[in-house]
Every structure is written in C-alpha cells, then in structure tokens.
Amino acid sequence: MKDGVYSVHELNQYIKTLFDHDGSLRLVKLEGELQDVKLYPSGHMYFNVTDEAASISGVMFDHDVAGLDFKPKNGDKVLLIGSVSTYVKTGRYQIYVRAMYLDGAGAKLLALKKLREKLEKEGLFSRAKRNINRYPKAIGLITARGSAACADLVTNITRRYPLVNVYAFYTSVQGKEAPKEIVNALKKAYAFTSKLDTIIISRGGGSSEDLDAFNDELVVRTAFTSPVPLIAAIGHEVDFTLVEYVADIRASTPTAAAEYATIDKREIYEQLDTCYESMTNSLNARIQLIRDKLHLLMNRPFFINPSSIYQDKLNNIKLTKENLENAWHLYLTGKINDLSTRKERLEAINPARVLKRGFALLRAKNGKVIKQVEDVEVGETMETVMSNGKIYAQVTQKEKHV
Amino acid sequence: MSEKKKDETIDFEGSLKRLDEIVEKIESNVLPLDESIKLYEEGSKLIKKLEGALKDAEKKMAKVIDTNAIGSGK
C-alpha cells in the first residue's frame, strides 16, 4: 500500500484475509438448491446454491467431486459442507464445498453427527488405543460369509503369519438385520473359548455402500467393549463410520487390516537371518581376535625356536672351550718351538759335530780340557779326542801367540 | 469338531525377543568366551526352532475355522 492507496489486488487480498480469519466461515453447513451446475473437464464443478431469497456461487474441486456418491444436477436439494472465501482475481466470494449430501441424506447425516457428538462426549473415541500383538495365536473375524473382504483377510493373514488360527464369526454387514447380527457376532467373539489376540471387523470396499450398520449405536457401543484390540476395516475412504472411531486401529482395506494384525513371515525370516548373521559374525570376529593374539604369541622367537633360550649360553661355552683349546695349542706350540730351538742350539754346540768337521778335543792327563797353551806341559801326553776315536800324543814344543 | 492341533505353541514374540537379547549380549563382547559360545548355541537352536515352526505352519493348509460350525457341535 502506497500513501494509503490500495491496488485492486491488495484490496482483494486483504478482504480474503478477513474471510479466511473468520472462524465461522471456515466450516459452513449450507442447505439449498443447486442451479447452473457445470462440471469442467478439469474435474472441478461450479454451481449456484439458491433458496427463495438468495443465491451464492459455489465450487467443488476435482478431488472432492470424485468422492461424491451421486451426480449433482440442477434442482437437487442438498446439504453442503465447506468454507466461504473470496477469489482474489474477481473479488467474488463463494463457498468452497468439500462435501455434498442429497436432502434426506442430510437429515441422516445430522442424526449421525448427533450420535457421534454424544458418544464422543462419553469418551468412546478418546480412550487410549491398544497395541496389536503382531504375533497372534488367534484372530477373530467379524465379516460376511463368502465376502471379498473375508477372503482378503484370510488370504493375507495366513500368508503373512501362518502360525495363527483364524476364527470367523460370520454376520451380515448390511441390511436391516445387520446391526443385530454384528452385535451378536461381536459378543460371541468376546466369549469365545480360545482367547483371541485381535478382532477384525470388516466389510469390503465398494463405491456408495450402505454403512449404516457400522454407525448403529449398539454396534458402536458393543465394539467399544471389545476385551481385545479391535481393527476396523470398513473399506470406505471418505467417511469414517463410528465403529472406526472406537476401534483401536482403522485400516483402509481388509488387506491393510491383515497387515496391522500380523507380522509378515518374511520379516521374521529376515530377522532370524540377521540374528544368525550378527551372532555368527561377532563370535567369529572374537575368535579371530583370539586366534590372532595366539598367533602373535606363537611367533615369538621363544616359541618358534625354544633352544634360543639356552643357545647363547651354549655358544658361550663353545667359545670358551675354543679359546681354551687355542690357548693351549698356542702354549704347546710355543713350548715345542722353544724346545726345537734349544735342540738346534744344543745341536750346534754338540762337540761331536765339531769333531766330525775335523776338529779335535784335547784333554790333559788330569782330564781337564786343554783350552790354552798353559794347560799343558811339554812332554806331557794329551788325550786327543777325534770323532771316531782317540789319539794319545806327546807335546814336543809349546809356542804361545803374542 | 476337529480343530487341528498346532504344534506345541511357541511364544514367537518372546522367542524373538530372547534372540535379540542373545545377539546383543554376544555383540557386546563383554561376556567370557565360553558363555558367548553357549549363548550362540542357544541362539542357533532357537533360530532353527522358529524357522521350523514357521515352515511347518506354511506347509499346512491354513484355513478359517467357522465358529458357527463349532457352535453347532457343542
């Protein structure tokens, strides 16, 4: 907004917020006659709603139109439920219809609404929902004999969880007798000899079926008193029946009800496999760990070659022994060398050898070796020792070198 | 009335819970090895038993028991 001046769009947008913030326009119930009904290829439906004094335009979008159980036409007296708002582009207000009921249907709806409010006030809908045992031993079915719903339930329940016993408490599900029969079937199920884990109350889907039995006050009250969890699969997406409000679980189809009521055996098999795998893996891992530790220990030199413990000492002894031997050998060699040297020296001075070379040893009469001239007297006889004998010679003359 | 007798009823849910417990204990690696091995044996047996019961039940033709038929027999 500029200087207090609206643009058209701004104004329309503002007016729209006024409508949208008005609580009493958000949920409007309107009675009137349809005029100018036009169904567009988009699936949306446009019309006027009139009475003797006035008219309002209305629109119903494709999704809601698809849920209608009758084909609206000009002149139909209807009860509409929706909200009133404006269309920004044109600034026109209109009713955005979410649900449409033919007159008469409207009265029934009102009665149903009153019953719903009454039961709600009594707390039938607000009780805490109970958990379903998905591993049931016995399931009770409240359904029509030979119905598609019954077949779907049985097939899916037994396929998913074959361990369960399925007990059927057959009843009609529509018609005048249906409420009474349903009540009896429920009571029979409650009193059944085998304790049921779950009760499923179901009727097949279909378009615009008569769901009155499941809105019957006694049926609803009886369903409420179920001693075990109750699953309702009434098979009508648009309207909730009152039985579905008191049930612990509302399933959209009998198959869905079977899924709520049981665990799939494949899930169990999978779980068992997973358990086995985790169990085996972690135990194997643990054993491997121990094995690795053992391996590490076994690889210690101590275990691979036990003699390594005393090998060092053994080596020491060996070395010492060798050293000793070497030393002894050295000592001995030394001694031998010593001896041979001495022998050679002895040999060198052996007088016999000298004699062999032609020298002679002279001895005086007194036996002393004559080493110098003074040791002998002229005329004295000397013993001259030769290599191979002795000669006795007389000294005739002495001459001393100067 | 001949209601087929189900094999000694197994508490499936309880057994699976026990199995989970066993796996958890083994995985925690805090128990002595011999205890873990004992648990492993128990777990294996339990798995076999549950699988067997499930397979047996699959083989049997599961069918609905008409309580009206039972009622008239009484």
Side-chain angles (χ1 to χ4, degrees), chain A residues 175-231:
Chain A
K176 239 181 151 179
E177 296 301 306
K180 207 177 79 196
E181 279 191 36
I182 293 173
V183 168
N184 285 340
L186 280 171
K187 283 185 174 162
K188 202 173 151 193
Y190 298 165
F192 191 61
T193 43
S194 313
K195 191 193 171 292
L196 303 173
D197 293 284
T198 312
I199 294 173
I200 301 176
I201 181 165
S202 180
R203 66 162 290 170
S207 51
S208 61
E209 281 156 315
D210 184 4
L211 302 170
D212 286 356
F214 298 95
N215 284 322
D216 180 89
E217 184 170 354
L218 192 58
V219 169
V220 177
R221 288 189 183 280
T222 309
F224 179 75
T225 62
S226 173
V228 298
L230 182 74
I231 299 176

Short mmCIF file of all heavy atoms in Angstrom, two decimals, chain A residues 175-231:
data_model
loop_
_atom_site.label_atom_id
_atom_site.label_comp_id
_atom_site.label_asym_id
_atom_site.label_seq_id
_atom_site.Cartn_x
_atom_site.Cartn_y
_atom_site.Cartn_z
N GLY A 175 -28.06 -54.17 5.60
CA GLY A 175 -29.46 -54.58 5.69
C GLY A 175 -29.98 -54.37 7.09
O GLY A 175 -29.24 -54.01 8.00
N LYS A 176 -31.26 -54.61 7.23
CA LYS A 176 -31.95 -54.31 8.48
C LYS A 176 -31.43 -55.14 9.66
O LYS A 176 -31.35 -54.66 10.78
CB LYS A 176 -33.46 -54.59 8.30
CG LYS A 176 -34.30 -53.35 8.56
CD LYS A 176 -35.75 -53.67 8.40
CE LYS A 176 -36.55 -52.74 9.32
NZ LYS A 176 -37.97 -52.94 9.23
N GLU A 177 -31.11 -56.39 9.36
CA GLU A 177 -30.71 -57.29 10.44
C GLU A 177 -29.24 -57.12 10.83
O GLU A 177 -28.79 -57.67 11.83
CB GLU A 177 -30.96 -58.76 10.03
CG GLU A 177 -32.41 -59.10 9.81
CD GLU A 177 -33.24 -58.86 11.06
OE1 GLU A 177 -32.85 -59.40 12.14
OE2 GLU A 177 -34.23 -58.10 10.98
N ALA A 178 -28.50 -56.42 9.98
CA ALA A 178 -27.06 -56.36 10.15
C ALA A 178 -26.63 -55.89 11.55
O ALA A 178 -25.82 -56.56 12.19
CB ALA A 178 -26.44 -55.49 9.07
N PRO A 179 -27.18 -54.77 12.06
CA PRO A 179 -26.71 -54.32 13.38
C PRO A 179 -26.85 -55.39 14.45
O PRO A 179 -25.91 -55.65 15.21
CB PRO A 179 -27.62 -53.11 13.67
CG PRO A 179 -28.02 -52.62 12.32
CD PRO A 179 -28.15 -53.83 11.47
N LYS A 180 -27.99 -56.02 14.47
CA LYS A 180 -28.23 -57.04 15.50
C LYS A 180 -27.24 -58.20 15.34
O LYS A 180 -26.64 -58.68 16.30
CB LYS A 180 -29.68 -57.56 15.38
CG LYS A 180 -30.23 -58.06 16.70
CD LYS A 180 -31.69 -58.49 16.56
CE LYS A 180 -31.78 -59.88 15.92
NZ LYS A 180 -33.14 -60.17 15.43
N GLU A 181 -27.06 -58.61 14.08
CA GLU A 181 -26.15 -59.75 13.82
C GLU A 181 -24.71 -59.40 14.17
O GLU A 181 -23.98 -60.23 14.72
CB GLU A 181 -26.24 -60.15 12.34
CG GLU A 181 -27.44 -61.03 12.04
CD GLU A 181 -27.37 -61.62 10.65
OE1 GLU A 181 -26.23 -61.94 10.21
OE2 GLU A 181 -28.41 -61.74 10.00
N ILE A 182 -24.35 -58.18 13.85
CA ILE A 182 -22.96 -57.77 14.16
C ILE A 182 -22.73 -57.78 15.66
O ILE A 182 -21.72 -58.27 16.16
CB ILE A 182 -22.66 -56.37 13.56
CG1 ILE A 182 -22.66 -56.45 12.03
CG2 ILE A 182 -21.32 -55.86 14.06
CD1 ILE A 182 -22.55 -55.10 11.35
N VAL A 183 -23.73 -57.25 16.39
CA VAL A 183 -23.62 -57.23 17.85
C VAL A 183 -23.48 -58.66 18.39
O VAL A 183 -22.61 -58.95 19.23
CB VAL A 183 -24.85 -56.54 18.48
CG1 VAL A 183 -24.90 -56.79 19.99
CG2 VAL A 183 -24.81 -55.04 18.20
N ASN A 184 -24.29 -59.56 17.86
CA ASN A 184 -24.21 -60.96 18.31
C ASN A 184 -22.86 -61.58 17.99
O ASN A 184 -22.27 -62.28 18.82
CB ASN A 184 -25.32 -61.79 17.65
CG ASN A 184 -26.67 -61.50 18.29
OD1 ASN A 184 -26.72 -60.98 19.42
ND2 ASN A 184 -27.75 -61.78 17.57
N ALA A 185 -22.37 -61.32 16.79
CA ALA A 185 -21.08 -61.88 16.38
C ALA A 185 -19.97 -61.36 17.29
O ALA A 185 -19.10 -62.11 17.72
CB ALA A 185 -20.79 -61.52 14.92
N LEU A 186 -20.03 -60.07 17.58
CA LEU A 186 -19.02 -59.48 18.47
C LEU A 186 -19.08 -60.14 19.85
O LEU A 186 -18.05 -60.53 20.40
CB LEU A 186 -19.26 -57.97 18.61
CG LEU A 186 -18.75 -57.08 17.47
CD1 LEU A 186 -19.25 -55.65 17.64
CD2 LEU A 186 -17.22 -57.10 17.42
N LYS A 187 -20.28 -60.28 20.36
CA LYS A 187 -20.43 -60.87 21.70
C LYS A 187 -19.92 -62.30 21.73
O LYS A 187 -19.29 -62.74 22.68
CB LYS A 187 -21.89 -60.81 22.13
CG LYS A 187 -22.29 -59.41 22.59
CD LYS A 187 -23.69 -59.38 23.12
CE LYS A 187 -24.04 -58.01 23.71
NZ LYS A 187 -25.50 -57.84 23.84
N LYS A 188 -20.20 -63.00 20.64
CA LYS A 188 -19.74 -64.39 20.53
C LYS A 188 -18.21 -64.43 20.52
O LYS A 188 -17.58 -65.29 21.16
CB LYS A 188 -20.29 -65.00 19.24
CG LYS A 188 -20.35 -66.50 19.27
CD LYS A 188 -21.07 -67.00 18.03
CE LYS A 188 -20.56 -68.37 17.65
NZ LYS A 188 -21.01 -68.75 16.30
N ALA A 189 -17.66 -63.51 19.81
CA ALA A 189 -16.19 -63.45 19.74
C ALA A 189 -15.59 -63.13 21.11
O ALA A 189 -14.59 -63.71 21.51
CB ALA A 189 -15.75 -62.40 18.72
N TYR A 190 -16.23 -62.21 21.83
CA TYR A 190 -15.72 -61.84 23.15
C TYR A 190 -15.73 -63.04 24.09
O TYR A 190 -14.86 -63.17 24.95
CB TYR A 190 -16.57 -60.73 23.78
CG TYR A 190 -16.59 -59.43 23.01
CD1 TYR A 190 -17.54 -58.46 23.28
CD2 TYR A 190 -15.65 -59.18 22.00
CE1 TYR A 190 -17.57 -57.26 22.58
CE2 TYR A 190 -15.68 -57.99 21.29
CZ TYR A 190 -16.65 -57.05 21.57
OH TYR A 190 -16.68 -55.88 20.88
N ALA A 191 -16.75 -63.90 23.91
CA ALA A 191 -16.90 -65.02 24.83
C ALA A 191 -16.27 -66.29 24.29
O ALA A 191 -16.42 -67.36 24.87
CB ALA A 191 -18.40 -65.26 25.08
N PHE A 192 -15.56 -66.18 23.19
CA PHE A 192 -15.04 -67.38 22.54
C PHE A 192 -14.05 -68.12 23.43
O PHE A 192 -13.29 -67.51 24.20
CB PHE A 192 -14.38 -67.00 21.21
CG PHE A 192 -14.06 -68.18 20.35
CD1 PHE A 192 -15.08 -69.02 19.91
CD2 PHE A 192 -12.76 -68.47 19.99
CE1 PHE A 192 -14.80 -70.12 19.13
CE2 PHE A 192 -12.46 -69.56 19.20
CZ PHE A 192 -13.50 -70.39 18.77
N THR A 193 -14.08 -69.46 23.29
CA THR A 193 -13.27 -70.31 24.17
C THR A 193 -11.78 -70.03 24.04
O THR A 193 -11.09 -69.87 25.04
CB THR A 193 -13.54 -71.79 23.88
OG1 THR A 193 -13.57 -71.95 22.46
CG2 THR A 193 -14.85 -72.24 24.47
N SER A 194 -11.27 -70.03 22.80
CA SER A 194 -9.86 -69.69 22.64
C SER A 194 -9.75 -68.18 22.75
O SER A 194 -10.53 -67.46 22.15
CB SER A 194 -9.36 -70.09 21.25
OG SER A 194 -9.77 -71.39 20.97
N LYS A 195 -8.79 -67.77 23.52
CA LYS A 195 -8.63 -66.33 23.67
C LYS A 195 -8.11 -65.74 22.36
O LYS A 195 -7.12 -66.20 21.80
CB LYS A 195 -7.66 -66.01 24.79
CG LYS A 195 -7.72 -64.54 25.12
CD LYS A 195 -6.56 -64.10 26.00
CE LYS A 195 -6.54 -62.60 26.12
NZ LYS A 195 -6.22 -61.92 24.87
N LEU A 196 -8.83 -64.78 21.86
CA LEU A 196 -8.41 -64.12 20.63
C LEU A 196 -7.44 -63.00 20.97
O LEU A 196 -7.58 -62.33 21.98
CB LEU A 196 -9.64 -63.53 19.91
CG LEU A 196 -10.75 -64.53 19.56
CD1 LEU A 196 -11.97 -63.79 19.02
CD2 LEU A 196 -10.26 -65.56 18.55
N ASP A 197 -6.41 -62.84 20.12
CA ASP A 197 -5.47 -61.75 20.32
C ASP A 197 -6.01 -60.47 19.73
O ASP A 197 -5.76 -59.38 20.25
CB ASP A 197 -4.13 -62.08 19.65
CG ASP A 197 -3.45 -63.24 20.33
OD1 ASP A 197 -2.89 -63.02 21.41
OD2 ASP A 197 -3.50 -64.36 19.78
N THR A 198 -6.73 -60.61 18.64
CA THR A 198 -7.23 -59.44 17.92
C THR A 198 -8.56 -59.79 17.29
O THR A 198 -8.78 -60.95 16.91
CB THR A 198 -6.26 -59.05 16.78
OG1 THR A 198 -4.94 -59.01 17.29
CG2 THR A 198 -6.61 -57.69 16.18
N ILE A 199 -9.44 -58.80 17.17
CA ILE A 199 -10.67 -58.99 16.41
C ILE A 199 -10.66 -57.99 15.26
O ILE A 199 -10.29 -56.82 15.45
CB ILE A 199 -11.91 -58.76 17.30
CG1 ILE A 199 -11.97 -59.86 18.37
CG2 ILE A 199 -13.19 -58.77 16.45
CD1 ILE A 199 -13.06 -59.64 19.41
N ILE A 200 -10.98 -58.49 14.08
CA ILE A 200 -11.06 -57.60 12.93
C ILE A 200 -12.51 -57.54 12.48
O ILE A 200 -13.13 -58.58 12.24
CB ILE A 200 -10.18 -58.10 11.77
CG1 ILE A 200 -8.71 -58.19 12.23
CG2 ILE A 200 -10.29 -57.15 10.57
CD1 ILE A 200 -7.79 -58.77 11.18
N ILE A 201 -13.03 -56.35 12.42
CA ILE A 201 -14.39 -56.19 11.92
C ILE A 201 -14.27 -55.55 10.55
O ILE A 201 -13.59 -54.54 10.37
CB ILE A 201 -15.26 -55.36 12.90
CG1 ILE A 201 -16.69 -55.23 12.37
CG2 ILE A 201 -14.66 -54.00 13.18
CD1 ILE A 201 -17.66 -54.75 13.45
N SER A 202 -14.88 -56.19 9.56
CA SER A 202 -14.60 -55.74 8.20
C SER A 202 -15.76 -55.97 7.26
O SER A 202 -16.52 -56.92 7.38
CB SER A 202 -13.37 -56.50 7.67
OG SER A 202 -13.08 -56.09 6.36
N ARG A 203 -15.86 -55.05 6.31
CA ARG A 203 -16.72 -55.29 5.17
C ARG A 203 -15.96 -54.77 3.96
O ARG A 203 -15.10 -53.90 4.07
CB ARG A 203 -18.07 -54.61 5.30
CG ARG A 203 -18.03 -53.11 5.29
CD ARG A 203 -19.38 -52.53 4.99
NE ARG A 203 -19.74 -52.78 3.60
CZ ARG A 203 -20.96 -52.56 3.10
NH1 ARG A 203 -21.92 -52.13 3.90
NH2 ARG A 203 -21.22 -52.76 1.84
N GLY A 204 -16.27 -55.34 2.83
CA GLY A 204 -15.49 -55.00 1.64
C GLY A 204 -15.68 -53.56 1.23
O GLY A 204 -16.60 -52.89 1.68
N GLY A 205 -14.79 -53.12 0.38
CA GLY A 205 -14.90 -51.77 -0.16
C GLY A 205 -16.06 -51.70 -1.14
O GLY A 205 -16.97 -52.51 -1.09
N GLY A 206 -15.99 -50.73 -2.00
CA GLY A 206 -17.08 -50.55 -2.94
C GLY A 206 -17.40 -49.10 -2.98
O GLY A 206 -16.87 -48.33 -2.16
N SER A 207 -18.26 -48.70 -3.85
CA SER A 207 -18.45 -47.26 -4.01
C SER A 207 -19.37 -46.70 -2.93
O SER A 207 -18.92 -46.35 -1.84
CB SER A 207 -18.99 -46.98 -5.41
OG SER A 207 -20.12 -47.81 -5.65
N SER A 208 -20.65 -46.66 -3.21
CA SER A 208 -21.52 -45.98 -2.25
C SER A 208 -22.32 -47.03 -1.49
O SER A 208 -23.49 -47.26 -1.77
CB SER A 208 -22.46 -45.04 -2.99
OG SER A 208 -23.25 -45.80 -3.86
N GLU A 209 -21.67 -47.66 -0.56
CA GLU A 209 -22.37 -48.74 0.11
C GLU A 209 -23.09 -48.23 1.34
O GLU A 209 -22.79 -47.18 1.87
CB GLU A 209 -21.37 -49.82 0.48
CG GLU A 209 -21.02 -50.68 -0.70
CD GLU A 209 -19.68 -51.33 -0.50
OE1 GLU A 209 -18.76 -50.63 -0.07
OE2 GLU A 209 -19.59 -52.54 -0.75
N ASP A 210 -23.95 -49.02 1.76
CA ASP A 210 -24.72 -48.69 2.95
C ASP A 210 -23.91 -49.06 4.19
O ASP A 210 -23.70 -50.24 4.47
CB ASP A 210 -26.02 -49.50 2.90
CG ASP A 210 -26.92 -49.14 4.05
OD1 ASP A 210 -26.56 -48.21 4.82
OD2 ASP A 210 -27.97 -49.78 4.19
N LEU A 211 -23.43 -48.06 4.86
CA LEU A 211 -22.56 -48.32 6.01
C LEU A 211 -23.29 -48.14 7.33
O LEU A 211 -22.68 -48.07 8.38
CB LEU A 211 -21.36 -47.36 5.96
CG LEU A 211 -20.51 -47.44 4.68
CD1 LEU A 211 -19.52 -46.30 4.65
CD2 LEU A 211 -19.81 -48.77 4.61
N ASP A 212 -24.64 -48.04 7.24
CA ASP A 212 -25.43 -47.73 8.42
C ASP A 212 -25.12 -48.63 9.61
O ASP A 212 -25.04 -48.18 10.75
CB ASP A 212 -26.93 -47.86 8.11
CG ASP A 212 -27.40 -46.69 7.27
OD1 ASP A 212 -26.55 -45.79 7.03
OD2 ASP A 212 -28.57 -46.67 6.86
N ALA A 213 -24.94 -49.92 9.33
CA ALA A 213 -24.73 -50.87 10.42
C ALA A 213 -23.54 -50.50 11.28
O ALA A 213 -23.52 -50.75 12.48
CB ALA A 213 -24.55 -52.29 9.84
N PHE A 214 -22.55 -49.89 10.64
CA PHE A 214 -21.34 -49.55 11.38
C PHE A 214 -21.44 -48.19 12.06
O PHE A 214 -20.50 -47.74 12.70
CB PHE A 214 -20.12 -49.62 10.45
CG PHE A 214 -19.92 -51.00 9.91
CD1 PHE A 214 -20.44 -51.36 8.67
CD2 PHE A 214 -19.26 -51.95 10.67
CE1 PHE A 214 -20.27 -52.64 8.18
CE2 PHE A 214 -19.10 -53.24 10.19
CZ PHE A 214 -19.61 -53.60 8.95
N ASN A 215 -22.60 -47.56 11.88
CA ASN A 215 -22.88 -46.33 12.60
C ASN A 215 -23.98 -46.55 13.64
O ASN A 215 -24.38 -45.61 14.31
CB ASN A 215 -23.31 -45.23 11.63
CG ASN A 215 -22.12 -44.67 10.87
OD1 ASN A 215 -21.04 -44.52 11.45
ND2 ASN A 215 -22.29 -44.39 9.59
N ASP A 216 -24.43 -47.78 13.73
CA ASP A 216 -25.50 -48.11 14.68
C ASP A 216 -24.98 -47.99 16.10
O ASP A 216 -23.89 -48.46 16.43
CB ASP A 216 -25.97 -49.54 14.42
CG ASP A 216 -27.07 -49.94 15.37
OD1 ASP A 216 -28.23 -49.71 15.03
OD2 ASP A 216 -26.74 -50.47 16.47
N GLU A 217 -25.79 -47.34 16.94
CA GLU A 217 -25.32 -47.04 18.29
C GLU A 217 -24.94 -48.29 19.07
O GLU A 217 -23.89 -48.34 19.71
CB GLU A 217 -26.38 -46.24 19.05
CG GLU A 217 -25.87 -45.83 20.42
CD GLU A 217 -26.81 -44.83 21.11
OE1 GLU A 217 -27.78 -44.40 20.46
OE2 GLU A 217 -26.55 -44.51 22.27
N LEU A 218 -25.77 -49.32 18.98
CA LEU A 218 -25.49 -50.52 19.76
C LEU A 218 -24.24 -51.23 19.23
O LEU A 218 -23.42 -51.74 20.01
CB LEU A 218 -26.70 -51.47 19.72
CG LEU A 218 -26.63 -52.61 20.74
CD1 LEU A 218 -26.50 -52.07 22.16
CD2 LEU A 218 -27.85 -53.52 20.62
N VAL A 219 -24.12 -51.23 17.89
CA VAL A 219 -22.91 -51.83 17.30
C VAL A 219 -21.68 -51.11 17.80
O VAL A 219 -20.69 -51.73 18.23
CB VAL A 219 -22.99 -51.80 15.76
CG1 VAL A 219 -21.64 -52.18 15.16
CG2 VAL A 219 -24.08 -52.73 15.25
N VAL A 220 -21.74 -49.79 17.77
CA VAL A 220 -20.58 -49.00 18.18
C VAL A 220 -20.27 -49.25 19.66
O VAL A 220 -19.12 -49.46 20.04
CB VAL A 220 -20.84 -47.50 17.94
CG1 VAL A 220 -19.67 -46.67 18.44
CG2 VAL A 220 -21.07 -47.25 16.45
N ARG A 221 -21.31 -49.26 20.48
CA ARG A 221 -21.09 -49.48 21.92
C ARG A 221 -20.55 -50.88 22.19
O ARG A 221 -19.68 -51.07 23.04
CB ARG A 221 -22.39 -49.27 22.69
CG ARG A 221 -22.80 -47.80 22.77
CD ARG A 221 -23.96 -47.61 23.71
NE ARG A 221 -24.41 -46.23 23.74
CZ ARG A 221 -23.79 -45.27 24.44
NH1 ARG A 221 -22.72 -45.57 25.15
NH2 ARG A 221 -24.23 -44.04 24.40
N THR A 222 -21.04 -51.84 21.44
CA THR A 222 -20.55 -53.21 21.62
C THR A 222 -19.10 -53.32 21.17
O THR A 222 -18.27 -53.95 21.83
CB THR A 222 -21.43 -54.21 20.84
OG1 THR A 222 -22.79 -53.98 21.16
CG2 THR A 222 -21.05 -55.65 21.18
N ALA A 223 -18.81 -52.69 20.05
CA ALA A 223 -17.43 -52.70 19.55
C ALA A 223 -16.49 -52.08 20.58
O ALA A 223 -15.37 -52.54 20.79
CB ALA A 223 -17.34 -51.95 18.23
N PHE A 224 -17.01 -51.04 21.26
CA PHE A 224 -16.20 -50.34 22.25
C PHE A 224 -15.80 -51.25 23.41
O PHE A 224 -14.74 -51.10 23.98
CB PHE A 224 -16.99 -49.13 22.78
CG PHE A 224 -16.26 -48.36 23.83
CD1 PHE A 224 -15.21 -47.52 23.49
CD2 PHE A 224 -16.62 -48.46 25.18
CE1 PHE A 224 -14.54 -46.80 24.45
CE2 PHE A 224 -15.94 -47.74 26.15
CZ PHE A 224 -14.90 -46.90 25.77
N THR A 225 -16.66 -52.21 23.72
CA THR A 225 -16.38 -53.05 24.89
C THR A 225 -15.49 -54.24 24.55
O THR A 225 -15.29 -55.12 25.39
CB THR A 225 -17.69 -53.61 25.50
OG1 THR A 225 -18.32 -54.43 24.49
CG2 THR A 225 -18.64 -52.50 25.90
N SER A 226 -14.93 -54.28 23.36
CA SER A 226 -14.08 -55.41 22.99
C SER A 226 -12.95 -55.59 24.00
O SER A 226 -12.23 -54.64 24.30
CB SER A 226 -13.48 -55.18 21.60
OG SER A 226 -12.55 -56.20 21.33
N PRO A 227 -12.83 -56.80 24.53
CA PRO A 227 -11.77 -57.02 25.53
C PRO A 227 -10.39 -57.10 24.89
O PRO A 227 -9.38 -57.05 25.59
CB PRO A 227 -12.16 -58.37 26.14
CG PRO A 227 -12.95 -59.06 25.09
CD PRO A 227 -13.65 -58.00 24.29
N VAL A 228 -10.36 -57.26 23.59
CA VAL A 228 -9.05 -57.33 22.91
C VAL A 228 -9.02 -56.24 21.84
O VAL A 228 -10.05 -55.72 21.44
CB VAL A 228 -8.82 -58.71 22.26
CG1 VAL A 228 -8.81 -59.81 23.31
CG2 VAL A 228 -9.87 -58.99 21.21
N PRO A 229 -7.82 -55.90 21.38
CA PRO A 229 -7.71 -54.85 20.36
C PRO A 229 -8.60 -55.15 19.15
O PRO A 229 -8.69 -56.29 18.70
CB PRO A 229 -6.24 -54.87 19.97
CG PRO A 229 -5.55 -55.38 21.19
CD PRO A 229 -6.49 -56.37 21.80
N LEU A 230 -9.24 -54.11 18.67
CA LEU A 230 -10.17 -54.23 17.56
C LEU A 230 -9.65 -53.44 16.37
O LEU A 230 -9.26 -52.29 16.49
CB LEU A 230 -11.53 -53.68 18.00
CG LEU A 230 -12.67 -53.78 16.99
CD1 LEU A 230 -13.16 -55.22 16.88
CD2 LEU A 230 -13.83 -52.86 17.38
N ILE A 231 -9.62 -54.11 15.23
CA ILE A 231 -9.23 -53.43 14.00
C ILE A 231 -10.48 -53.31 13.14
O ILE A 231 -11.19 -54.30 12.93
CB ILE A 231 -8.15 -54.21 13.23
CG1 ILE A 231 -6.89 -54.36 14.09
CG2 ILE A 231 -7.81 -53.50 11.91
CD1 ILE A 231 -5.81 -55.21 13.44
#
